[in-house]
Amino acid sequence: MSNQRKIHPVILQYLHDLSDKLAYLPELEREQSISEVEVHLQDLYQEKIEQGVDIDLAAHEIVNNFLSVDKLAEQITNEVDVMQAVNSKLSGSKKKNNSKAFYSLIFGIVSIFLPFIGVVFGFLGVIVSRKARKEILNTKEPGSKLASIGFLCSLIGIVIQILVIFSFISYNFLIKVN
Amino acid sequence: MNTKKNDQWIVQLKKGVYELAILLLVRKKVMYGYELTQQLNKIPLFTLAEGSIYPILKRMENKQWIEPYWQESEEGPSRKYYKITKEGQEIVKTRMDDYKELYQGLELMKEGKF
């Protein structure tokens, strides 16, 4: 939950209750549901405040008019359960990592071990891992660690390959001179 | 008794078209839950209790008709925006056709041309 905007205690209570009721959902699923409802409640609250309604009255009215914690939790849980059953049937119960994060790691490893051309893979790895990070930020899917390792490996690969290229050129130069 | 029956009919009818209405809204512009509820509440027949949209959105997300993404907001926590998927576009097309057919059928029956 974010603290960027002050949350009225009544609204906070609703969110806490909802969080308790959704306790057995996967953590990510629960967090996402709570922040989605938080945005909604806060927007309604802001709207009431702008209309000049007293803050306590506004918070109470909003929570009273909102779907009750029990009902909302029950309905969300029903939908999530169905989704998980479908997902686990399709691809195992774990959520998949971001695919770009995976590719960035592959490029990173290749860049370390493949002489000369590895430098190209290193740059590709850097670009792909940055794209992966952006995607992960938007979709909140797993894979941020993978993207970071991919980024690091790609950087190491670039440095190693530049050194390899440099030594190769220097070696050839020295042989010519001798 | 009559009004009660009538109300129940509207409830059932509304249930059937919420998903389609949401698809039509996110087809034009990406929206988040609060915005969608505001838009739906503009039409009296579509009035939706605050908060009830989330289970519907979750269901539509599971069916992959809409795709969510999170976007930072200056005014507070990140918002979960929804955009329509290719599958969602196809659903809009077929369902709108179905509704047209259904309505035209009723009109024909009303006019006694059936």
Side-chain angles (χ1 to χ4, degrees), chain A residues 101-114:
Chain A
F102 178 72
Y103 287 125
S104 79
L105 181 65
I106 300 288
F107 286 151
I109 294 170
V110 171
S111 75
I112 293 175
F113 294 105
L114 197 71

Side-chain angles (χ1 to χ4, degrees), chain A residues 43-92:
Chain A
D43 279 356
L44 284 172
Y45 180 68
Q46 212 57 36
E47 196 185 307
K48 290 253 179 207
I49 298 301
E50 275 161 24
Q51 285 167 5
V53 181
D54 171 70
I55 52 168
D56 292 329
L57 186 69
H60 276 107
E61 263 183 22
I62 287 159
V63 169
N64 289 341
N65 288 333
F66 213 78
L67 206 62
S68 74
V69 171
D70 287 337
K71 261 194 181 172
L72 187 56
E74 189 195 327
Q75 289 181 12
I76 289 177
T77 310
N78 285 344
E79 298 302 336
V80 173
D81 278 349
V82 170
M83 181 183 82
Q84 277 170 349
V86 172
N87 272 355
S88 57
K89 256 193 178 177
L90 288 177
S91 58

Side-chain angles (χ1 to χ4, degrees), chain A residues 2 4-5 29 32-33 35-40 43-44 47 65-67 72 75-76 79-80 83 137-138 140, chain B residues 32-34 37-38 49-55 57-59 62 69-70 73-80 82:
Chain A
S2 160
Q4 282 165 290
R5 267 200 297 189
E29 201 64 58
Q32 290 190 356
S33 296
S35 26
E36 200 174 19
V37 173
E38 181 192 342
V39 169
H40 196 130
D43 279 356
L44 284 172
E47 196 185 307
N65 288 333
F66 213 78
L67 206 62
L72 187 56
Q75 289 181 12
I76 289 177
E79 298 302 336
V80 173
M83 181 183 82
L137 204 71
N138 278 336
K140 299 206 170 180
Chain B
Y32 63 104
Y34 169 77
T37 312
Q38 297 286 92
E50 298 289 349
S52 321
I53 198 164
Y54 296 105
L57 287 171
K58 188 118 264 170
R59 184 163 63 239
N62 296 345
Y69 67 94
W70 292 82
S73 153
E74 285 174 13
E75 297 151 39
S78 326
R79 290 169 177 170
K80 192 178 184 184
Y82 294 91

Side-chain angles (χ1 to χ4, degrees), chain B residues 6-19:
Chain B
N6 209 18
D7 282 345
Q8 206 50 41
W9 179 74
I10 284 290
V11 170
Q12 295 301 329
L13 193 66
K14 275 160 76 174
K15 263 191 191 169
V17 288
Y18 271 131
E19 290 178 351

